[in-house]
Amino acid sequence: MQPQEVPLASLLSSRHLERLRADGGSGSATVDNLWAATLAGDLAEVSAYQGPSARGALALGPGGTWNDTLIPRVRYLSRERPGSPELAPVQHWDMTDAEIRGGFDGLALGYRIARWTARTGRLRLSQLLDMYYSPRGVALDAEVKACQRGSSAAAAFAEDTLFAQTSRFARTLTDTSPDAPYMTEAALRNFTAASVRAFLRYAGDLLQGDACDSPPLMSVRVNAIVVLDTTWARAAAYRFITLLAGAEGIDVGLFGSRLAIMNGGLGGPVGGHWIVNFTDSPVQIATDWVAVDAADDIWPTYLDLPWTLMAVIEHLQSKAEAESVQGSVGSAHGDVVVILATASTVSDADMRHAKELVPRVKEINPDVRLLYVVTELGEARFQELATMSAEWDDVVVVVDDTEADTVAHAVASYLRHTPGRLMPAECVLTQGGSPSSTPSPSRSTSRPYAAAARGNHARAKGWPVQPGLHVWAAPGVRGRGGWSRAGGGGARMGSRAEFEDYVAPGQLRLYRIHTEYTRPGMPVSVEMVGEDYGELRLCMWRGAAPGGAMAAMRAALRAEDAGGVDPGRGDRDDTPQAECANLSGFGETNVTIADPCQDRCAPLYVSVSASKSTFKCTEEDCRYPDEVRYLLRPRGVSCAGSLPVQSGSTTCTTSPASLSLWVAALAAQLVLLLAAH
């Protein structure tokens, strides 16, 4: 918004202006467009419309209530005004609670926007609103945030200015609105003074309820597939999906998570169908769900676990192949599959098939995480799948009841700290193979696996997702001539394979290097390249804390805050010891773990945090203007049965010659060790 001071004389008709001057008024005073668009504009309606008839009893508000406390979509204004002696029916809607809050917000932002834009060079409205309506506040002034809108607007607010601007704008209403009668300048000033006094009392009480939460250390970034069984009817299922996708869940959005929904039963021609394609748009989820409600054959009738896992395998294979073409060495998003099984049972035959298919899922992507959501009755059954390997992070989530909000909260709590991944370039070509290499279930059943793996695109009439739409579209690739990032992270092609990402001060980016990519005695390092966006800190540690992957991540986060030692575990040998390095400008740095398999192989965790920003982040990939861009290069990691990726290498190979060289290298190290002793 361009600041403007508009003279009253240019806003009033000539007849009205003459009458005003005859009453001793003046048309030389100016109306400020910022005040007119925020508080003074609405308060002028109170003065002009209520003043002549209210006899001093000016009314502000009312408030209102949402149609749903968990999924608010419609807000209803109150028909009665709280605080009045007899709860008198509301007759005036000139300045509602929402308009008061919006007025403070507009004043706080409009007062500073020119200064902020001058500092950054480019500031998008979406960035500004995203920051202001979040606990972290506006990056250029962290104290400016909606949860403390009163103090945020204090710098621009002055009672004298509010009175003057309200009086002037009310004068324009007496000229242009049939509901506002003409009044003398003295009368208008009296009504304005009364409305300002009423506003100060009412707004002070209204804003007392504002409170700020602590901003999260980690933003949630996952690629989540949700598999529906028959737990809920469609309305309840949509409630669960909406809660999970929201800001209190996994935060589906352009800079947050992506979500897809799968039919886990035989609601259609075959199981494993995609009800909602992968999307980072909550609006798209709502739009696709309209088709779900309109189709009779799309809803699951039970959970067919083998068919579902085969559809997941096909998706992961498509995603892996897309990443291989780009030479990807990392992803900002962790991959998770949430299987809702609270109302389902799995037969012995299906369980045997599932035990054959889950290792195939891990073979394509060892970092993918399976969450089985069950009640206490189904816990033991699904523990058989979750505990097949100690290297897997799969978990059985037991819920006390199947209410949508209960399940959504339980799932979100497990996904909130899901790390991204770092890996060797093009490993998926050696590990994943082609879709045709997927092992079929035991022939003890009559189900034709080939028809499921390939025919699972067939759609009955009315299915909302067309063939092939679920095939993964990989994030953008940054080349030497330009760059693009779709929702976080990208691979940079050239002589070096690099992963690009962003972090803002006060945030932590967490990645994992799976044990599949490390070898005993082979050091692993991660190089970080700065691009002069600010000051960064890179840390890496072995996730050796007891209690599984979740315990390792929690301990690692504490270790990061404590400078390398987890204070919660004292001096125990299994405390994560973080190797850290700082970086600024256009420099490069690296951290190394000499032996990731010391005692036993453990996943490596890598964190990146920023302590200072130069506010250079103006490209489309920047969520906030203070984000700091960096590149990561994993080194010493290798595909199964291949040589480690060293500097300058972009591919993994599993040729017989490479395998022989790797074996020979290990043999040579063994000879040297024996000779030393």
Side-chain angles (χ1 to χ4, degrees), residues 397-422:
V397 181
V398 181
V399 293
D400 296 330
D401 61 69
T402 58
E403 292 295 324
D405 53 333
T406 301
V407 179
H409 176 76
V411 171
S413 65
Y414 276 93
L415 301 185
R416 198 157 287 131
H417 288 161
T418 300
R421 63 187 301 228
L422 295 176

PDB file of all heavy atoms in Angstrom, residues 397-422:
ATOM      1  N   VAL A 397       1.590 -47.310  16.717  1.00  0.00           N
ATOM      2  CA  VAL A 397       0.991 -46.244  17.511  1.00  0.00           C
ATOM      3  C   VAL A 397      -0.333 -46.762  18.071  1.00  0.00           C
ATOM      4  O   VAL A 397      -1.271 -47.033  17.316  1.00  0.00           O
ATOM      5  CB  VAL A 397       0.755 -44.986  16.670  1.00  0.00           C
ATOM      6  CG1 VAL A 397       0.146 -43.881  17.523  1.00  0.00           C
ATOM      7  CG2 VAL A 397       2.051 -44.518  16.032  1.00  0.00           C
ATOM      8  N   VAL A 398      -0.398 -46.918  19.380  1.00  0.00           N
ATOM      9  CA  VAL A 398      -1.601 -47.438  20.032  1.00  0.00           C
ATOM     10  C   VAL A 398      -2.434 -46.264  20.536  1.00  0.00           C
ATOM     11  O   VAL A 398      -1.933 -45.426  21.301  1.00  0.00           O
ATOM     12  CB  VAL A 398      -1.237 -48.377  21.192  1.00  0.00           C
ATOM     13  CG1 VAL A 398      -2.504 -48.933  21.847  1.00  0.00           C
ATOM     14  CG2 VAL A 398      -0.346 -49.512  20.700  1.00  0.00           C
ATOM     15  N   VAL A 399      -3.679 -46.188  20.100  1.00  0.00           N
ATOM     16  CA  VAL A 399      -4.571 -45.103  20.519  1.00  0.00           C
ATOM     17  C   VAL A 399      -5.643 -45.657  21.448  1.00  0.00           C
ATOM     18  O   VAL A 399      -6.083 -46.799  21.305  1.00  0.00           O
ATOM     19  CB  VAL A 399      -5.216 -44.424  19.296  1.00  0.00           C
ATOM     20  CG1 VAL A 399      -4.162 -43.683  18.482  1.00  0.00           C
ATOM     21  CG2 VAL A 399      -5.957 -45.415  18.427  1.00  0.00           C
ATOM     22  N   ASP A 400      -6.042 -44.827  22.408  1.00  0.00           N
ATOM     23  CA  ASP A 400      -7.051 -45.254  23.375  1.00  0.00           C
ATOM     24  C   ASP A 400      -8.448 -45.274  22.779  1.00  0.00           C
ATOM     25  O   ASP A 400      -9.294 -46.066  23.183  1.00  0.00           O
ATOM     26  CB  ASP A 400      -7.027 -44.329  24.598  1.00  0.00           C
ATOM     27  CG  ASP A 400      -5.708 -44.416  25.352  1.00  0.00           C
ATOM     28  OD1 ASP A 400      -5.094 -45.500  25.319  1.00  0.00           O
ATOM     29  OD2 ASP A 400      -5.302 -43.410  25.934  1.00  0.00           O
ATOM     30  N   ASP A 401      -8.695 -44.356  21.853  1.00  0.00           N
ATOM     31  CA  ASP A 401      -9.998 -44.336  21.181  1.00  0.00           C
ATOM     32  C   ASP A 401      -9.784 -43.946  19.734  1.00  0.00           C
ATOM     33  O   ASP A 401      -8.681 -43.552  19.336  1.00  0.00           O
ATOM     34  CB  ASP A 401     -10.968 -43.368  21.867  1.00  0.00           C
ATOM     35  CG  ASP A 401     -10.461 -41.938  21.853  1.00  0.00           C
ATOM     36  OD1 ASP A 401     -10.419 -41.337  20.759  1.00  0.00           O
ATOM     37  OD2 ASP A 401     -10.115 -41.411  22.927  1.00  0.00           O
ATOM     38  N   THR A 402     -10.805 -44.047  18.943  1.00  0.00           N
ATOM     39  CA  THR A 402     -10.684 -43.797  17.509  1.00  0.00           C
ATOM     40  C   THR A 402     -11.322 -42.477  17.093  1.00  0.00           C
ATOM     41  O   THR A 402     -11.706 -42.304  15.927  1.00  0.00           O
ATOM     42  CB  THR A 402     -11.330 -44.954  16.713  1.00  0.00           C
ATOM     43  OG1 THR A 402     -12.702 -45.089  17.102  1.00  0.00           O
ATOM     44  CG2 THR A 402     -10.594 -46.249  16.964  1.00  0.00           C
ATOM     45  N   GLU A 403     -11.430 -41.535  18.022  1.00  0.00           N
ATOM     46  CA  GLU A 403     -11.877 -40.203  17.647  1.00  0.00           C
ATOM     47  C   GLU A 403     -10.834 -39.556  16.739  1.00  0.00           C
ATOM     48  O   GLU A 403      -9.625 -39.725  16.937  1.00  0.00           O
ATOM     49  CB  GLU A 403     -12.093 -39.336  18.888  1.00  0.00           C
ATOM     50  CG  GLU A 403     -13.250 -39.776  19.764  1.00  0.00           C
ATOM     51  CD  GLU A 403     -14.591 -39.629  19.050  1.00  0.00           C
ATOM     52  OE1 GLU A 403     -14.753 -38.653  18.278  1.00  0.00           O
ATOM     53  OE2 GLU A 403     -15.465 -40.491  19.253  1.00  0.00           O
ATOM     54  N   ALA A 404     -11.300 -38.818  15.755  1.00  0.00           N
ATOM     55  CA  ALA A 404     -10.401 -38.263  14.755  1.00  0.00           C
ATOM     56  C   ALA A 404      -9.321 -37.379  15.370  1.00  0.00           C
ATOM     57  O   ALA A 404      -8.149 -37.454  14.983  1.00  0.00           O
ATOM     58  CB  ALA A 404     -11.202 -37.467  13.724  1.00  0.00           C
ATOM     59  N   ASP A 405      -9.685 -36.533  16.340  1.00  0.00           N
ATOM     60  CA  ASP A 405      -8.689 -35.641  16.922  1.00  0.00           C
ATOM     61  C   ASP A 405      -7.660 -36.407  17.741  1.00  0.00           C
ATOM     62  O   ASP A 405      -6.476 -36.055  17.764  1.00  0.00           O
ATOM     63  CB  ASP A 405      -9.361 -34.560  17.763  1.00  0.00           C
ATOM     64  CG  ASP A 405     -10.307 -35.125  18.810  1.00  0.00           C
ATOM     65  OD1 ASP A 405     -10.837 -36.227  18.587  1.00  0.00           O
ATOM     66  OD2 ASP A 405     -10.508 -34.470  19.851  1.00  0.00           O
ATOM     67  N   THR A 406      -8.082 -37.480  18.406  1.00  0.00           N
ATOM     68  CA  THR A 406      -7.144 -38.293  19.188  1.00  0.00           C
ATOM     69  C   THR A 406      -6.111 -38.944  18.287  1.00  0.00           C
ATOM     70  O   THR A 406      -4.898 -38.914  18.560  1.00  0.00           O
ATOM     71  CB  THR A 406      -7.896 -39.380  19.975  1.00  0.00           C
ATOM     72  OG1 THR A 406      -8.845 -38.756  20.846  1.00  0.00           O
ATOM     73  CG2 THR A 406      -6.941 -40.233  20.787  1.00  0.00           C
ATOM     74  N   VAL A 407      -6.577 -39.542  17.205  1.00  0.00           N
ATOM     75  CA  VAL A 407      -5.666 -40.237  16.289  1.00  0.00           C
ATOM     76  C   VAL A 407      -4.758 -39.239  15.575  1.00  0.00           C
ATOM     77  O   VAL A 407      -3.557 -39.475  15.416  1.00  0.00           O
ATOM     78  CB  VAL A 407      -6.471 -41.077  15.282  1.00  0.00           C
ATOM     79  CG1 VAL A 407      -5.531 -41.777  14.307  1.00  0.00           C
ATOM     80  CG2 VAL A 407      -7.331 -42.107  16.011  1.00  0.00           C
ATOM     81  N   ALA A 408      -5.301 -38.107  15.142  1.00  0.00           N
ATOM     82  CA  ALA A 408      -4.489 -37.113  14.445  1.00  0.00           C
ATOM     83  C   ALA A 408      -3.376 -36.585  15.342  1.00  0.00           C
ATOM     84  O   ALA A 408      -2.230 -36.425  14.902  1.00  0.00           O
ATOM     85  CB  ALA A 408      -5.372 -35.961  13.960  1.00  0.00           C
ATOM     86  N   HIS A 409      -3.693 -36.333  16.602  1.00  0.00           N
ATOM     87  CA  HIS A 409      -2.680 -35.843  17.538  1.00  0.00           C
ATOM     88  C   HIS A 409      -1.598 -36.905  17.757  1.00  0.00           C
ATOM     89  O   HIS A 409      -0.401 -36.584  17.804  1.00  0.00           O
ATOM     90  CB  HIS A 409      -3.329 -35.471  18.865  1.00  0.00           C
ATOM     91  CG  HIS A 409      -2.347 -35.039  19.918  1.00  0.00           C
ATOM     92  ND1 HIS A 409      -1.736 -33.801  19.916  1.00  0.00           N
ATOM     93  CD2 HIS A 409      -1.842 -35.696  21.005  1.00  0.00           C
ATOM     94  CE1 HIS A 409      -0.915 -33.712  20.939  1.00  0.00           C
ATOM     95  NE2 HIS A 409      -0.959 -34.841  21.620  1.00  0.00           N
ATOM     96  N   ALA A 410      -1.999 -38.162  17.888  1.00  0.00           N
ATOM     97  CA  ALA A 410      -1.032 -39.226  18.124  1.00  0.00           C
ATOM     98  C   ALA A 410      -0.096 -39.393  16.932  1.00  0.00           C
ATOM     99  O   ALA A 410       1.123 -39.537  17.097  1.00  0.00           O
ATOM    100  CB  ALA A 410      -1.765 -40.542  18.411  1.00  0.00           C
ATOM    101  N   VAL A 411      -0.646 -39.362  15.726  1.00  0.00           N
ATOM    102  CA  VAL A 411       0.180 -39.519  14.527  1.00  0.00           C
ATOM    103  C   VAL A 411       1.120 -38.335  14.367  1.00  0.00           C
ATOM    104  O   VAL A 411       2.315 -38.497  14.099  1.00  0.00           O
ATOM    105  CB  VAL A 411      -0.716 -39.680  13.284  1.00  0.00           C
ATOM    106  CG1 VAL A 411       0.112 -39.619  12.003  1.00  0.00           C
ATOM    107  CG2 VAL A 411      -1.483 -40.994  13.346  1.00  0.00           C
ATOM    108  N   ALA A 412       0.594 -37.120  14.543  1.00  0.00           N
ATOM    109  CA  ALA A 412       1.416 -35.921  14.358  1.00  0.00           C
ATOM    110  C   ALA A 412       2.577 -35.879  15.345  1.00  0.00           C
ATOM    111  O   ALA A 412       3.676 -35.431  15.000  1.00  0.00           O
ATOM    112  CB  ALA A 412       0.557 -34.670  14.504  1.00  0.00           C
ATOM    113  N   SER A 413       2.362 -36.346  16.561  1.00  0.00           N
ATOM    114  CA  SER A 413       3.430 -36.318  17.557  1.00  0.00           C
ATOM    115  C   SER A 413       4.593 -37.213  17.165  1.00  0.00           C
ATOM    116  O   SER A 413       5.743 -36.927  17.507  1.00  0.00           O
ATOM    117  CB  SER A 413       2.883 -36.734  18.931  1.00  0.00           C
ATOM    118  OG  SER A 413       2.448 -38.083  18.919  1.00  0.00           O
ATOM    119  N   TYR A 414       4.317 -38.297  16.426  1.00  0.00           N
ATOM    120  CA  TYR A 414       5.394 -39.174  15.967  1.00  0.00           C
ATOM    121  C   TYR A 414       6.098 -38.624  14.728  1.00  0.00           C
ATOM    122  O   TYR A 414       7.268 -38.947  14.491  1.00  0.00           O
ATOM    123  CB  TYR A 414       4.842 -40.571  15.653  1.00  0.00           C
ATOM    124  CG  TYR A 414       4.722 -41.460  16.863  1.00  0.00           C
ATOM    125  CD1 TYR A 414       3.540 -41.536  17.581  1.00  0.00           C
ATOM    126  CD2 TYR A 414       5.799 -42.221  17.304  1.00  0.00           C
ATOM    127  CE1 TYR A 414       3.417 -42.337  18.704  1.00  0.00           C
ATOM    128  CE2 TYR A 414       5.698 -43.025  18.429  1.00  0.00           C
ATOM    129  CZ  TYR A 414       4.502 -43.086  19.122  1.00  0.00           C
ATOM    130  OH  TYR A 414       4.396 -43.877  20.246  1.00  0.00           O
ATOM    131  N   LEU A 415       5.414 -37.825  13.946  1.00  0.00           N
ATOM    132  CA  LEU A 415       5.986 -37.325  12.694  1.00  0.00           C
ATOM    133  C   LEU A 415       6.692 -35.992  12.847  1.00  0.00           C
ATOM    134  O   LEU A 415       7.409 -35.569  11.950  1.00  0.00           O
ATOM    135  CB  LEU A 415       4.887 -37.188  11.634  1.00  0.00           C
ATOM    136  CG  LEU A 415       4.108 -38.447  11.266  1.00  0.00           C
ATOM    137  CD1 LEU A 415       3.155 -38.159  10.129  1.00  0.00           C
ATOM    138  CD2 LEU A 415       5.048 -39.582  10.887  1.00  0.00           C
ATOM    139  N   ARG A 416       6.506 -35.336  13.965  1.00  0.00           N
ATOM    140  CA  ARG A 416       6.950 -33.947  14.109  1.00  0.00           C
ATOM    141  C   ARG A 416       8.461 -33.787  13.980  1.00  0.00           C
ATOM    142  O   ARG A 416       8.939 -32.770  13.498  1.00  0.00           O
ATOM    143  CB  ARG A 416       6.456 -33.397  15.442  1.00  0.00           C
ATOM    144  CG  ARG A 416       6.465 -31.879  15.524  1.00  0.00           C
ATOM    145  CD  ARG A 416       5.492 -31.378  16.570  1.00  0.00           C
ATOM    146  NE  ARG A 416       4.107 -31.511  16.142  1.00  0.00           N
ATOM    147  CZ  ARG A 416       3.148 -32.053  16.879  1.00  0.00           C
ATOM    148  NH1 ARG A 416       3.427 -32.532  18.078  1.00  0.00           N
ATOM    149  NH2 ARG A 416       1.919 -32.122  16.421  1.00  0.00           N
ATOM    150  N   HIS A 417       9.229 -34.765  14.402  1.00  0.00           N
ATOM    151  CA  HIS A 417      10.686 -34.656  14.352  1.00  0.00           C
ATOM    152  C   HIS A 417      11.289 -35.582  13.303  1.00  0.00           C
ATOM    153  O   HIS A 417      12.448 -35.992  13.416  1.00  0.00           O
ATOM    154  CB  HIS A 417      11.300 -34.958  15.719  1.00  0.00           C
ATOM    155  CG  HIS A 417      11.070 -33.871  16.731  1.00  0.00           C
ATOM    156  ND1 HIS A 417      11.184 -34.078  18.079  1.00  0.00           N
ATOM    157  CD2 HIS A 417      10.707 -32.579  16.578  1.00  0.00           C
ATOM    158  CE1 HIS A 417      10.916 -32.954  18.719  1.00  0.00           C
ATOM    159  NE2 HIS A 417      10.628 -32.025  17.828  1.00  0.00           N
ATOM    160  N   THR A 418      10.517 -35.906  12.273  1.00  0.00           N
ATOM    161  CA  THR A 418      11.042 -36.752  11.204  1.00  0.00           C
ATOM    162  C   THR A 418      12.140 -36.009  10.457  1.00  0.00           C
ATOM    163  O   THR A 418      11.923 -34.903   9.951  1.00  0.00           O
ATOM    164  CB  THR A 418       9.924 -37.131  10.213  1.00  0.00           C
ATOM    165  OG1 THR A 418       8.904 -37.836  10.925  1.00  0.00           O
ATOM    166  CG2 THR A 418      10.463 -37.995   9.095  1.00  0.00           C
ATOM    167  N   PRO A 419      13.348 -36.591  10.356  1.00  0.00           N
ATOM    168  CA  PRO A 419      14.432 -35.881   9.661  1.00  0.00           C
ATOM    169  C   PRO A 419      14.336 -36.043   8.154  1.00  0.00           C
ATOM    170  O   PRO A 419      13.666 -36.937   7.634  1.00  0.00           O
ATOM    171  CB  PRO A 419      15.682 -36.578  10.205  1.00  0.00           C
ATOM    172  CG  PRO A 419      15.230 -37.979  10.488  1.00  0.00           C
ATOM    173  CD  PRO A 419      13.786 -37.873  10.934  1.00  0.00           C
ATOM    174  N   GLY A 420      15.019 -35.153   7.432  1.00  0.00           N
ATOM    175  CA  GLY A 420      15.244 -35.362   6.013  1.00  0.00           C
ATOM    176  C   GLY A 420      16.293 -36.441   5.834  1.00  0.00           C
ATOM    177  O   GLY A 420      16.705 -37.094   6.793  1.00  0.00           O
ATOM    178  N   ARG A 421      16.754 -36.613   4.601  1.00  0.00           N
ATOM    179  CA  ARG A 421      17.721 -37.683   4.367  1.00  0.00           C
ATOM    180  C   ARG A 421      18.869 -37.205   3.494  1.00  0.00           C
ATOM    181  O   ARG A 421      18.701 -36.329   2.644  1.00  0.00           O
ATOM    182  CB  ARG A 421      17.030 -38.883   3.715  1.00  0.00           C
ATOM    183  CG  ARG A 421      16.451 -38.614   2.339  1.00  0.00           C
ATOM    184  CD  ARG A 421      15.617 -39.778   1.808  1.00  0.00           C
ATOM    185  NE  ARG A 421      16.336 -41.022   1.700  1.00  0.00           N
ATOM    186  CZ  ARG A 421      16.309 -41.807   0.616  1.00  0.00           C
ATOM    187  NH1 ARG A 421      15.600 -41.454  -0.454  1.00  0.00           N
ATOM    188  NH2 ARG A 421      16.961 -42.939   0.583  1.00  0.00           N
ATOM    189  N   LEU A 422      20.043 -37.753   3.767  1.00  0.00           N
ATOM    190  CA  LEU A 422      21.213 -37.601   2.904  1.00  0.00           C
ATOM    191  C   LEU A 422      21.630 -38.988   2.453  1.00  0.00           C
ATOM    192  O   LEU A 422      21.584 -39.942   3.234  1.00  0.00           O
ATOM    193  CB  LEU A 422      22.358 -36.913   3.652  1.00  0.00           C
ATOM    194  CG  LEU A 422      22.112 -35.455   4.087  1.00  0.00           C
ATOM    195  CD1 LEU A 422      23.291 -34.951   4.904  1.00  0.00           C
ATOM    196  CD2 LEU A 422      21.875 -34.568   2.883  1.00  0.00           C
TER     197      LEU A 422
END
